[in-house]
Amino acid sequence: MQKRHRNGTGSDHGLKNVCVYCGSGKGRTRAYAAAARTLGRALAKSGIGLVYGGGSLGLMGELAHSALKHGGRVTGIIPSFLSAQERMLREADELIITDDMHQRKMLMFERSDAFVALPGGIGTLEELVEQLTWSQLGRHKKPIIVANIEGFWTPFLRLIEHMRTESFIRAGLEVNCTVVESAEEIVPAAIAKAAAAVGEAEETVITRL
């Protein structure tokens, strides 16, 4: 495990780190890479650390390099068998090499206060669906932001609506996520959802008292 440390961020919005799932390729359209760079910059400027898959290729690389370029904190978490294939980012402030994918995903979950899905492949989809499932089952209340850049996630969102129509998603098993259409909306949406969750928790405490 490789570590470097920066000074504290000074953020006051309750989000210390945000986990971003995205592709190790750049995709067909330049808008995806542009969105990744925009998000990396926005996280850095907001004093929010980036937790991500640890690679230097594709959208992962664009995202992490942008965050570092703008003074952000970056934690990369990558399984050993992918360290060469995805060219792990040695410049990250903290680089964690795990034994397997399960350990990687659990560490990403534990170290993050919210989750963002940029465009990506089957791995990105799997990670997003896992967080949606855990949220659906009440295992966490962390914000989940789906960045529907250039309509990338529209087919998936239609599938969720189809599941709802067919009564597989029903009352008490809602799928909780916030959909945004541009990279500029991601950080404000995550901050707003985190603040709302804190407000709900405070109301619950007051009610119980």
Side-chain angles (χ1 to χ4, degrees):
M1 182 170 68
Q2 174 181 320
K3 291 186 179 181
R4 283 198 345 226
H5 298 282
R6 296 181 190 273
N7 293 328
T9 64
S11 61
D12 58 0
H13 40 60
L15 290 180
K16 182 178 179 182
N17 295 303
V18 167
C19 177
V20 179
Y21 304 126
C22 59
S24 58
K26 289 188 178 181
R28 185 178 59 85
T29 173
R30 294 180 180 178
Y32 302 152
R37 291 192 295 270
T38 296
L39 176 56
R41 180 176 65 250
L43 289 171
K45 297 302 183 183
S46 299
I48 300 171
L50 167 65
V51 175
Y52 85 117
S56 64
L57 302 177
L59 299 191
M60 287 200 294
E62 297 283 348
L63 170 72
H65 281 120
S66 178
L68 289 171
K69 176 182 177 181
H70 292 92
R73 294 176 294 106
V74 174
T75 298
I77 304 177
I78 190 169
S80 57
F81 75 92
L82 283 179
S83 60
Q85 180 179 330
E86 295 188 349
R87 298 182 189 175
M88 60 184 181
L89 185 68
R90 298 185 181 277
E91 298 93 330
D93 297 283
E94 184 176 13
L95 184 59
I96 302 172
I97 302 174
T98 65
D99 296 328
D100 53 43
M101 292 291 286
H102 297 292
Q103 186 182 18
R104 175 203 215 180
K105 291 192 294 181
M106 183 54 68
L107 282 173
M108 292 172 83
F109 173 78
E110 291 173 347
R111 285 172 172 256
S112 303
D113 306 303
F115 306 94
V116 174
L118 288 174
I122 195 70
T124 302
L125 175 63
E126 187 263 346
E127 290 166 324
L128 168 60
V129 169
E130 182 170 66
Q131 292 308 330
L132 290 172
T133 302
W134 290 1
S135 173
Q136 186 184 46
L137 297 176
R139 298 298 88 194
H140 76 83
K141 294 185 178 180
K142 300 177 183 181
I144 302 171
I145 312 297
V146 177
N148 194 29
I149 309 300
E150 297 286 307
F152 178 84
W153 290 108
T154 297
F156 172 69
L157 297 171
R158 287 174 178 161
L159 176 59
I160 290 179
E161 187 55 41
H162 176 64
M163 291 174 178
R164 186 176 291 110
T165 299
E166 295 299 317
S167 297
F168 288 104
I169 297 174
R170 53 197 183 276
L173 290 174
E174 293 83 2
V175 173
N176 301 306
C177 66
T178 299
V179 180
V180 299
E181 304 296 327
S182 70
E184 290 81 3
E185 298 174 87
I186 296 172
V187 170
I191 291 173
K193 292 297 292 185
V198 170
E200 290 174 4
E202 290 175 347
E203 288 181 7
T204 301
V205 170
I206 291 172
T207 300
R208 288 177 179 173
L209 291 175

